[in-house]
Structures are given as structure tokens and as C-alpha cells.
Amino acid sequence: MIKEFKDFIAKGNVMDLAVGIIIGAAFTAIVSSLVKDLINPVIGLILGGVDFTSMYVVLSGDVPAGVGLDAAREAGAAVFAYGAFLTACINFLIIAFVVFMLVKGVNRLKAASETPQEAAPAAPKGPTELDILIDIRDTLKK
């Protein structure tokens, strides 16, 4: 069983997947920072200085006006955190676009590396089955 496990882990696909997951996690941190530190402040500026990630609606519980999302959650209030949801959607769209561009680039590289093979000359056609049967018939008639 240990030998089978070593063989499984040593396969290239498993190692490629592991590297992809690690790079993906690091990339997610970069995109999260991009959205949190660069995009959300611009959106907040457009909306009049509102902290975009702290936008929420209190569904139940007592929360003083102007309290941030974290404080509202700590107070035990049920909140509809649409700002956090929109941030997650922006993160997803950025990651999906970058993955799309990566796949598109890889496909372009694959297409460029595949050289079109020269068309091999067509093999001369042999006699058809009907031609062979006609030859046999003619030979038997003689």
C-alpha cells in the first residue's frame, strides 16, 4: 500500500496539481489585497467615502448606528453583509478573468508549437473488391 501511495504521489499530474493549488492560494491573497486595498477604496470614494466592505443591513438585534460590520457581528446581530458579498464577487471576477487569460495564453502556445505536418502523398489505390472478383471470374472462364 505504501508503494502504491509513493507511485501515486510521484506521478506528474499530482505534483502539477499541488503546485497549482499553492500558486492559486498565493494568487488569491494578491487578488484579495487588490480588491480590499485598491478597488474598494475607489468605489468608496465614488459612493461618498463609504467603507464598501462594511456595508450591511441589520436583520435582527440591536446595533448602534455607524458601527462597522465586525462590531455588529460581535454584538450578536444578524446582519445582511452585502458589502462583503460584493467584495467576494469582485474577487471572483478578477480571478476568473486571470484564469481565462492564462488558459487562453496556454492554448495559443500549444497551437503555435504544433507545426502542421506536411500532407503525406496519398497511397496508390489498389483494386477494389469488385475488380478482384471480376479478375477471378475472368480467370475461371479461361
Side-chain angles (χ1 to χ4, degrees):
M1 187 166 145
I2 293 175
K3 182 181 180 297
E4 288 180 46
F5 182 71
K6 285 181 184 178
D7 291 342
F8 172 73
I9 292 297
K11 287 184 181 178
N13 294 345
V14 174
M15 296 307 290
D16 292 343
L17 180 63
V19 169
I21 289 172
I22 292 168
I23 290 173
F27 183 72
T28 300
I30 292 170
V31 170
S32 295
S33 175
L34 172 73
V35 172
K36 176 182 165 193
D37 301 328
L38 300 177
I39 294 175
N40 283 349
V42 171
I43 293 173
L45 181 65
I46 292 170
L47 295 176
V50 177
D51 181 12
F52 185 65
T53 57
S54 291
M55 293 181 168
Y56 67 93
V57 174
V58 178
L59 299 176
S60 67
D62 292 328
V63 177
V67 173
L69 177 61
D70 291 333
R73 285 181 174 161
E74 287 176 12
V79 294
F80 182 74
Y82 63 91
F85 176 73
L86 291 175
T87 300
C89 289
I90 293 169
N91 285 345
F92 170 77
L93 291 174
I94 291 171
I95 291 171
F97 178 74
V98 169
V99 169
F100 169 74
M101 295 304 290
L102 286 172
V103 169
K104 186 175 180 177
V106 168
N107 288 341
R108 186 177 297 145
L109 287 174
K110 281 184 181 180
S113 69
E114 294 174 357
T115 57
Q117 297 179 0
E118 295 179 20
K125 282 187 148 188
T128 64
E129 185 178 339
L130 181 61
D131 293 335
I132 294 172
L133 289 173
I134 290 173
D135 284 343
I136 292 171
R137 182 196 68 193
D138 293 342
T139 304
L140 288 175
K141 281 185 178 179
K142 293 182 185 178

